[in-house]
Amino acid sequence: MGKIIALLTDFGLKDGYIAVMKGVIKSIAPNTDIIDITHDISPQNIDEAAYVLWTSYKYFPKSTIFVTVVDPGVGSNRKILMVKTKNYIFLAPDNGILKYIFAYQEVLKIYNLENKEYFLKNISNTFHGRDIFSPVAAYISKGIPLKNFGTETTPLTRPEYFLSLASVKNKSINGKILYIDRFGNIITNILIENNKYIDDIQYIEIGKTHVNHFYKYYSEARNSKIFGLVGSSNLLELAMRNQNAAKIYKVKIGTKIKVVLR
Amino acid sequence: MGKIIALLTDFGLKDGYIAVMKGVIKSIAPNTDIIDITHDISPQNIDEAAYVLWTSYKYFPKSTIFVTVVDPGVGSNRKILMVKTKNYIFLAPDNGILKYIFAYQEVLKIYNLENKEYFLKNISNTFHGRDIFSPVAAYISKGIPLKNFGTETTPLTRPEYFLSLASVKNKSINGKILYIDRFGNIITNILIENNKYIDDIQYIEIGKTHVNHFYKYYSEARNSKIFGLVGSSNLLELAMRNQNAAKIYKVKIGTKIKVVLR
Amino acid sequence: MGKIIALLTDFGLKDGYIAVMKGVIKSIAPNTDIIDITHDISPQNIDEAAYVLWTSYKYFPKSTIFVTVVDPGVGSNRKILMVKTKNYIFLAPDNGILKYIFAYQEVLKIYNLENKEYFLKNISNTFHGRDIFSPVAAYISKGIPLKNFGTETTPLTRPEYFLSLASVKNKSINGKILYIDRFGNIITNILIENNKYIDDIQYIEIGKTHVNHFYKYYSEARNSKIFGLVGSSNLLELAMRNQNAAKIYKVKIGTKIKVVLR
């Protein structure tokens, strides 16, 4: 079995765009193993893509090549980055998708994809996932040296860090909602490195609601009230048992929250 | 090509949870072939999961390992079962997902997953699909003996049987709706082992409607009336040609039906 | 790695139907590589299926076997075609899915699938994707000669051609909407072989709207007006930047459009 190429896009699965990318990859590198991270990122939503990439990449085998295409600037002169970290290679438009990777991974090299030798012959203005990302990923998986694909570059994308309860100096910390998952669980940008820190929280303010129940797992909640817990990526999360908290509380990605400590 | 691991969850494909499970599996067992059964089970809907598992498992190659995670009790002290049948291995929370497997497959051994040696090092309270199910499935696929993963156990899950027209002694039988598929076909829990038995049905009562047309295939219906047929898993099904019967008749999983014989 | 089998259906991913097909294929041909094109074709929508197949097939490796099942006539006496072209093999009901393949690929042989030796033993009336298409595709991938599966036939499906701006003799051409993608981009049946031909367009009439802005890529548009561009399959497309043009203009597949030249 060859290397893994992992795909993350906002292309959806309905239109066949992802199949086209896989066809291109398999035509160049038949032994590559392709894994879908997700293709249901909300259209053009770079923040969602950055979050899902961050929660998933570290569980993949070493040498996995991540192809992340949420690319509202496709066809313009935005750069396409090829980023080498200790364990992985990431391809992404230079628009912020890699902001958490830049924050939490040691980056060894960053290239701008330029060498058309590794692109498809006809490059459209609207589907670089097919014409550039896929063939480049396939050639990387075949062992072409990274320096062949372009020149080193300085990206526009800046690292973004989560907030840490451990480092709060005042009585409270202002955060925001990073992501809402399919269960309606509300995921914040407050990192809780150790489960016990949750005991330091007096309440979480979201809109006019004060959340002051905290549990370790969903079914521990005995009623239908919203509660806080530490999610599977160690981020502070708001949830309701067997209900969609995000819908009931009508919150969105970006909504501000406040954590008040004891 | 290695063994097959087949995944069935309610995690959806949007959030990257499934990709994380695949990353964990491939990190341990790179040659494993992973097939998605479905990840669109309605959140926490164990009955849907049990039905879809039952309709699909028997078409998989021998030695397939089924990983079924619809798990509202995640993090609690519910057991995680590892079930060995003649041809397959099933991993599932002890909450009913395996009720039809227990009814229709000869079960050879049932273990409770306990040995943390085969789990990820950090076990969250909310994502055992990643931390327990995936690594265990990967190690099973590599040939670790089943007894190494835990001790034999007696599950809470009881077998559930379909109803059989062949065994009806009265003039009628009361059933229920088991599942509604994407076409709006309404699938009941009445098993019709032989196509000819459908001739014994006088009508099917669903709400105030009496269904008394029966066809062999969808396009045989010449108008827009609801009709009965034997579905692809030999269960009695209600359908409409090129229309969504479940939406038009506003039925749900669990709705009672009655089959009246001639 | 064995041959590729590519699947295109309207079965959705929720109900496990696709997993069953993959289980059948892997049971017969374990080394086959299965790629999903899409399973979210609108139920029974042959035109959508034909379009998505046409945009994707040519990016797959030679010898790929395409299994396309949008099959409202399943169980009736409609034929199932096996079509050999120079590079590929296509399986499809004889209902129009292959209309663009017939128009744009040199067809070498067309067979009617008849030989039950290569079907599953029990053939349902409602799920030939499982009982016929999947096992036949698996046996093809193992090298069984095509003539073993049935006899040569003349299909009912007629080729359908796109309209070409290059061949317009009058001042205008009447086209239609072929497809709407997940971004709400509106794809027409007007083929624009060369990007420069778009300069010949004065405006596009869709309902009461005259579209007279044209761009090369989406983010080139500087406001929220609808515009024309050449899409990634060289078809004339109507789009809005970061908005769903199809929803805003309430258009559907089949809606007429008119292109007026300078």
Short mmCIF file of all heavy atoms in Angstrom, two decimals, chain B residues 90-127:
data_model
loop_
_atom_site.label_atom_id
_atom_site.label_comp_id
_atom_site.label_asym_id
_atom_site.label_seq_id
_atom_site.Cartn_x
_atom_site.Cartn_y
_atom_site.Cartn_z
N PHE B 90 -18.16 -8.45 15.13
CA PHE B 90 -18.91 -7.21 15.31
C PHE B 90 -18.45 -6.49 16.57
O PHE B 90 -18.38 -7.11 17.64
CB PHE B 90 -20.41 -7.49 15.46
CG PHE B 90 -21.04 -8.14 14.25
CD1 PHE B 90 -21.04 -9.52 14.10
CD2 PHE B 90 -21.62 -7.36 13.26
CE1 PHE B 90 -21.61 -10.12 12.98
CE2 PHE B 90 -22.19 -7.95 12.14
CZ PHE B 90 -22.19 -9.34 11.99
N LEU B 91 -18.17 -5.19 16.46
CA LEU B 91 -17.94 -4.35 17.64
C LEU B 91 -19.12 -3.39 17.76
O LEU B 91 -19.48 -2.73 16.79
CB LEU B 91 -16.66 -3.53 17.48
CG LEU B 91 -15.35 -4.30 17.29
CD1 LEU B 91 -14.19 -3.30 17.17
CD2 LEU B 91 -15.10 -5.25 18.44
N ALA B 92 -19.70 -3.29 18.96
CA ALA B 92 -20.85 -2.41 19.15
C ALA B 92 -21.07 -2.15 20.62
O ALA B 92 -20.79 -3.03 21.45
CB ALA B 92 -22.11 -3.04 18.56
N PRO B 93 -21.57 -0.96 20.97
CA PRO B 93 -22.01 -0.77 22.36
C PRO B 93 -23.16 -1.75 22.65
O PRO B 93 -23.89 -2.13 21.73
CB PRO B 93 -22.51 0.67 22.40
CG PRO B 93 -22.35 1.24 21.04
CD PRO B 93 -21.83 0.21 20.12
N ASP B 94 -23.29 -2.12 23.88
CA ASP B 94 -24.33 -3.10 24.27
C ASP B 94 -25.67 -2.39 24.45
O ASP B 94 -26.20 -2.30 25.55
CB ASP B 94 -23.89 -3.79 25.58
CG ASP B 94 -24.86 -4.90 25.98
OD1 ASP B 94 -25.71 -5.28 25.14
OD2 ASP B 94 -24.75 -5.37 27.13
N ASN B 95 -26.19 -1.86 23.35
CA ASN B 95 -27.40 -1.04 23.46
C ASN B 95 -28.49 -1.45 22.49
O ASN B 95 -29.50 -0.75 22.35
CB ASN B 95 -27.06 0.44 23.27
CG ASN B 95 -26.47 0.72 21.89
OD1 ASN B 95 -26.51 -0.13 21.00
ND2 ASN B 95 -25.91 1.90 21.71
N GLY B 96 -28.30 -2.57 21.78
CA GLY B 96 -29.36 -3.03 20.89
C GLY B 96 -29.00 -3.04 19.42
O GLY B 96 -29.72 -3.62 18.61
N ILE B 97 -27.89 -2.42 19.04
CA ILE B 97 -27.53 -2.39 17.61
C ILE B 97 -27.46 -3.81 17.04
O ILE B 97 -27.81 -4.04 15.89
CB ILE B 97 -26.16 -1.70 17.39
CG1 ILE B 97 -26.20 -0.24 17.83
CG2 ILE B 97 -25.75 -1.78 15.92
CD1 ILE B 97 -24.90 0.51 17.58
N LEU B 98 -27.04 -4.75 17.87
CA LEU B 98 -26.82 -6.11 17.36
C LEU B 98 -28.05 -7.01 17.51
O LEU B 98 -27.96 -8.23 17.38
CB LEU B 98 -25.61 -6.74 18.07
CG LEU B 98 -24.28 -6.00 17.87
CD1 LEU B 98 -23.15 -6.73 18.61
CD2 LEU B 98 -23.93 -5.88 16.39
N LYS B 99 -29.23 -6.43 17.76
CA LYS B 99 -30.40 -7.28 18.08
C LYS B 99 -30.78 -8.24 16.96
O LYS B 99 -31.20 -9.36 17.24
CB LYS B 99 -31.59 -6.42 18.51
CG LYS B 99 -32.11 -5.46 17.47
CD LYS B 99 -33.18 -4.54 18.10
CE LYS B 99 -33.69 -3.54 17.08
NZ LYS B 99 -34.65 -2.60 17.66
N TYR B 100 -30.64 -7.81 15.71
CA TYR B 100 -30.97 -8.73 14.61
C TYR B 100 -29.84 -9.72 14.35
O TYR B 100 -30.08 -10.84 13.90
CB TYR B 100 -31.30 -7.96 13.33
CG TYR B 100 -32.44 -7.00 13.49
CD1 TYR B 100 -32.28 -5.64 13.26
CD2 TYR B 100 -33.70 -7.45 13.91
CE1 TYR B 100 -33.33 -4.75 13.42
CE2 TYR B 100 -34.75 -6.56 14.08
CZ TYR B 100 -34.56 -5.21 13.84
OH TYR B 100 -35.59 -4.33 14.00
N ILE B 101 -28.61 -9.31 14.59
CA ILE B 101 -27.48 -10.24 14.47
C ILE B 101 -27.67 -11.37 15.49
O ILE B 101 -27.53 -12.56 15.16
CB ILE B 101 -26.15 -9.51 14.73
CG1 ILE B 101 -25.96 -8.34 13.76
CG2 ILE B 101 -24.97 -10.49 14.68
CD1 ILE B 101 -25.92 -8.72 12.31
N PHE B 102 -28.03 -11.01 16.71
CA PHE B 102 -28.25 -12.02 17.75
C PHE B 102 -29.41 -12.94 17.37
O PHE B 102 -29.43 -14.11 17.74
CB PHE B 102 -28.53 -11.35 19.10
CG PHE B 102 -27.30 -10.77 19.75
CD1 PHE B 102 -27.41 -10.01 20.91
CD2 PHE B 102 -26.03 -10.98 19.23
CE1 PHE B 102 -26.28 -9.47 21.53
CE2 PHE B 102 -24.89 -10.44 19.84
CZ PHE B 102 -25.03 -9.69 20.99
N ALA B 103 -30.39 -12.41 16.64
CA ALA B 103 -31.55 -13.23 16.28
C ALA B 103 -31.25 -14.18 15.13
O ALA B 103 -31.74 -15.31 15.11
CB ALA B 103 -32.73 -12.32 15.90
N TYR B 104 -30.42 -13.74 14.18
CA TYR B 104 -30.31 -14.49 12.93
C TYR B 104 -28.92 -15.05 12.64
O TYR B 104 -28.71 -15.67 11.60
CB TYR B 104 -30.80 -13.63 11.76
CG TYR B 104 -32.28 -13.37 11.85
CD1 TYR B 104 -32.78 -12.17 12.32
CD2 TYR B 104 -33.19 -14.38 11.50
CE1 TYR B 104 -34.14 -11.95 12.43
CE2 TYR B 104 -34.55 -14.17 11.61
CZ TYR B 104 -35.03 -12.95 12.07
OH TYR B 104 -36.37 -12.74 12.19
N GLN B 105 -27.95 -14.81 13.50
CA GLN B 105 -26.62 -15.38 13.30
C GLN B 105 -26.28 -16.24 14.50
O GLN B 105 -26.62 -15.90 15.64
CB GLN B 105 -25.57 -14.26 13.20
CG GLN B 105 -25.51 -13.61 11.86
CD GLN B 105 -24.62 -14.40 10.91
OE1 GLN B 105 -23.43 -14.54 11.11
NE2 GLN B 105 -25.23 -14.96 9.88
N GLU B 106 -25.59 -17.33 14.25
CA GLU B 106 -25.11 -18.14 15.36
C GLU B 106 -23.92 -17.42 16.00
O GLU B 106 -22.89 -17.22 15.36
CB GLU B 106 -24.69 -19.52 14.86
CG GLU B 106 -24.39 -20.48 15.99
CD GLU B 106 -23.67 -21.73 15.49
OE1 GLU B 106 -23.59 -21.93 14.26
OE2 GLU B 106 -23.17 -22.48 16.34
N VAL B 107 -24.09 -17.03 17.24
CA VAL B 107 -23.04 -16.30 17.94
C VAL B 107 -22.11 -17.30 18.62
O VAL B 107 -22.56 -18.18 19.36
CB VAL B 107 -23.65 -15.34 18.97
CG1 VAL B 107 -22.58 -14.75 19.86
CG2 VAL B 107 -24.44 -14.24 18.26
N LEU B 108 -20.81 -17.18 18.36
CA LEU B 108 -19.86 -18.13 18.94
C LEU B 108 -19.28 -17.62 20.26
O LEU B 108 -19.14 -18.39 21.21
CB LEU B 108 -18.72 -18.40 17.94
CG LEU B 108 -19.18 -18.92 16.57
CD1 LEU B 108 -17.98 -19.16 15.65
CD2 LEU B 108 -19.98 -20.22 16.72
N LYS B 109 -18.96 -16.34 20.32
CA LYS B 109 -18.36 -15.78 21.53
C LYS B 109 -18.77 -14.32 21.66
O LYS B 109 -18.89 -13.62 20.65
CB LYS B 109 -16.82 -15.80 21.44
CG LYS B 109 -16.19 -17.17 21.41
CD LYS B 109 -15.90 -17.68 22.81
CE LYS B 109 -15.07 -18.97 22.72
NZ LYS B 109 -14.97 -19.62 24.04
N ILE B 110 -18.95 -13.87 22.89
CA ILE B 110 -19.19 -12.44 23.14
C ILE B 110 -18.22 -11.97 24.22
O ILE B 110 -18.20 -12.53 25.32
CB ILE B 110 -20.63 -12.18 23.60
CG1 ILE B 110 -21.63 -12.74 22.58
CG2 ILE B 110 -20.86 -10.68 23.80
CD1 ILE B 110 -23.08 -12.54 22.96
N TYR B 111 -17.43 -10.96 23.88
CA TYR B 111 -16.47 -10.41 24.84
C TYR B 111 -16.85 -8.98 25.20
O TYR B 111 -17.47 -8.27 24.40
CB TYR B 111 -15.06 -10.37 24.24
CG TYR B 111 -14.50 -11.71 23.85
CD1 TYR B 111 -14.73 -12.23 22.57
CD2 TYR B 111 -13.71 -12.43 24.73
CE1 TYR B 111 -14.19 -13.46 22.20
CE2 TYR B 111 -13.17 -13.66 24.36
CZ TYR B 111 -13.42 -14.17 23.09
OH TYR B 111 -12.89 -15.37 22.73
N ASN B 112 -16.43 -8.56 26.37
CA ASN B 112 -16.50 -7.16 26.77
C ASN B 112 -15.12 -6.55 26.55
O ASN B 112 -14.13 -7.03 27.09
CB ASN B 112 -16.88 -7.09 28.26
CG ASN B 112 -17.01 -5.67 28.75
OD1 ASN B 112 -17.23 -4.75 27.97
ND2 ASN B 112 -16.86 -5.49 30.06
N LEU B 113 -15.03 -5.50 25.74
CA LEU B 113 -13.72 -4.88 25.48
C LEU B 113 -13.20 -4.21 26.75
O LEU B 113 -13.84 -3.32 27.28
CB LEU B 113 -13.82 -3.82 24.38
CG LEU B 113 -14.06 -4.28 22.95
CD1 LEU B 113 -13.89 -3.09 22.01
CD2 LEU B 113 -13.11 -5.39 22.54
N GLU B 114 -12.05 -4.66 27.21
CA GLU B 114 -11.54 -4.15 28.49
C GLU B 114 -10.05 -3.82 28.47
O GLU B 114 -9.59 -2.99 29.26
CB GLU B 114 -11.72 -5.22 29.58
CG GLU B 114 -13.14 -5.40 30.06
CD GLU B 114 -13.32 -6.73 30.78
OE1 GLU B 114 -12.42 -7.59 30.70
OE2 GLU B 114 -14.38 -6.90 31.41
N ASN B 115 -9.31 -4.46 27.58
CA ASN B 115 -7.86 -4.37 27.67
C ASN B 115 -7.34 -3.07 27.07
O ASN B 115 -7.25 -2.92 25.84
CB ASN B 115 -7.24 -5.58 26.97
CG ASN B 115 -5.76 -5.66 27.22
OD1 ASN B 115 -5.15 -4.70 27.70
ND2 ASN B 115 -5.16 -6.80 26.89
N LYS B 116 -6.95 -2.14 27.94
CA LYS B 116 -6.53 -0.81 27.49
C LYS B 116 -5.25 -0.83 26.67
O LYS B 116 -4.90 0.17 26.05
CB LYS B 116 -6.37 0.11 28.70
CG LYS B 116 -7.69 0.40 29.39
CD LYS B 116 -7.57 1.51 30.42
CE LYS B 116 -8.96 1.77 31.02
NZ LYS B 116 -8.92 2.82 32.05
N GLU B 117 -4.56 -1.95 26.70
CA GLU B 117 -3.36 -2.09 25.88
C GLU B 117 -3.66 -1.84 24.41
O GLU B 117 -2.79 -1.41 23.65
CB GLU B 117 -2.83 -3.51 26.08
CG GLU B 117 -1.46 -3.80 25.53
CD GLU B 117 -1.11 -5.29 25.70
OE1 GLU B 117 -1.63 -5.93 26.65
OE2 GLU B 117 -0.34 -5.79 24.88
N TYR B 118 -4.90 -2.12 23.98
CA TYR B 118 -5.26 -1.97 22.57
C TYR B 118 -6.10 -0.72 22.31
O TYR B 118 -6.67 -0.56 21.24
CB TYR B 118 -5.99 -3.22 22.08
CG TYR B 118 -5.14 -4.46 22.20
CD1 TYR B 118 -5.41 -5.42 23.18
CD2 TYR B 118 -4.04 -4.65 21.37
CE1 TYR B 118 -4.61 -6.54 23.31
CE2 TYR B 118 -3.23 -5.77 21.49
CZ TYR B 118 -3.52 -6.71 22.47
OH TYR B 118 -2.72 -7.81 22.60
N PHE B 119 -6.22 0.14 23.32
CA PHE B 119 -6.93 1.41 23.12
C PHE B 119 -5.89 2.50 22.83
O PHE B 119 -4.69 2.29 23.01
CB PHE B 119 -7.69 1.81 24.39
CG PHE B 119 -8.74 0.82 24.85
CD1 PHE B 119 -9.40 1.02 26.07
CD2 PHE B 119 -9.08 -0.30 24.10
CE1 PHE B 119 -10.36 0.12 26.52
CE2 PHE B 119 -10.05 -1.21 24.55
CZ PHE B 119 -10.68 -0.99 25.76
N LEU B 120 -6.33 3.68 22.39
CA LEU B 120 -5.40 4.80 22.34
C LEU B 120 -4.99 5.15 23.77
O LEU B 120 -5.67 4.83 24.73
CB LEU B 120 -6.05 6.02 21.66
CG LEU B 120 -6.35 5.91 20.17
CD1 LEU B 120 -6.62 7.31 19.58
CD2 LEU B 120 -5.24 5.24 19.37
N LYS B 121 -3.87 5.85 23.89
CA LYS B 121 -3.34 6.13 25.23
C LYS B 121 -4.25 7.05 26.02
O LYS B 121 -4.52 6.83 27.19
CB LYS B 121 -1.94 6.75 25.12
CG LYS B 121 -0.87 5.68 24.98
CD LYS B 121 0.52 6.28 24.87
CE LYS B 121 1.49 5.21 24.35
NZ LYS B 121 2.74 5.80 23.85
N ASN B 122 -4.71 8.12 25.38
CA ASN B 122 -5.62 9.03 26.06
C ASN B 122 -7.05 8.72 25.62
O ASN B 122 -7.36 8.85 24.43
CB ASN B 122 -5.29 10.48 25.70
CG ASN B 122 -3.88 10.84 26.16
OD1 ASN B 122 -3.55 10.64 27.33
ND2 ASN B 122 -3.07 11.31 25.23
N ILE B 123 -7.87 8.31 26.56
CA ILE B 123 -9.24 7.93 26.21
C ILE B 123 -10.18 9.05 26.62
O ILE B 123 -10.32 9.35 27.81
CB ILE B 123 -9.63 6.61 26.90
CG1 ILE B 123 -8.66 5.51 26.46
CG2 ILE B 123 -11.06 6.24 26.55
CD1 ILE B 123 -8.84 4.23 27.22
N SER B 124 -10.81 9.68 25.63
CA SER B 124 -11.76 10.74 25.93
C SER B 124 -13.04 10.14 26.50
O SER B 124 -13.24 8.93 26.47
CB SER B 124 -12.10 11.51 24.65
OG SER B 124 -12.88 10.68 23.81
N ASN B 125 -13.91 11.00 27.00
CA ASN B 125 -15.21 10.54 27.49
C ASN B 125 -16.29 10.60 26.42
O ASN B 125 -17.42 10.21 26.67
CB ASN B 125 -15.66 11.41 28.68
CG ASN B 125 -14.82 11.14 29.90
OD1 ASN B 125 -14.63 9.99 30.28
ND2 ASN B 125 -14.29 12.19 30.50
N THR B 126 -15.95 11.13 25.25
CA THR B 126 -16.99 11.42 24.27
C THR B 126 -16.74 10.82 22.89
O THR B 126 -17.62 10.90 22.03
CB THR B 126 -17.14 12.95 24.09
OG1 THR B 126 -15.86 13.48 23.71
CG2 THR B 126 -17.61 13.61 25.37
N PHE B 127 -15.59 10.23 22.65
CA PHE B 127 -15.30 9.75 21.29
C PHE B 127 -14.58 8.40 21.35
O PHE B 127 -13.41 8.28 21.00
CB PHE B 127 -14.47 10.80 20.55
CG PHE B 127 -14.34 10.59 19.05
CD1 PHE B 127 -15.04 9.58 18.38
CD2 PHE B 127 -13.52 11.41 18.30
CE1 PHE B 127 -14.91 9.40 17.02
CE2 PHE B 127 -13.38 11.24 16.92
CZ PHE B 127 -14.07 10.22 16.29
#
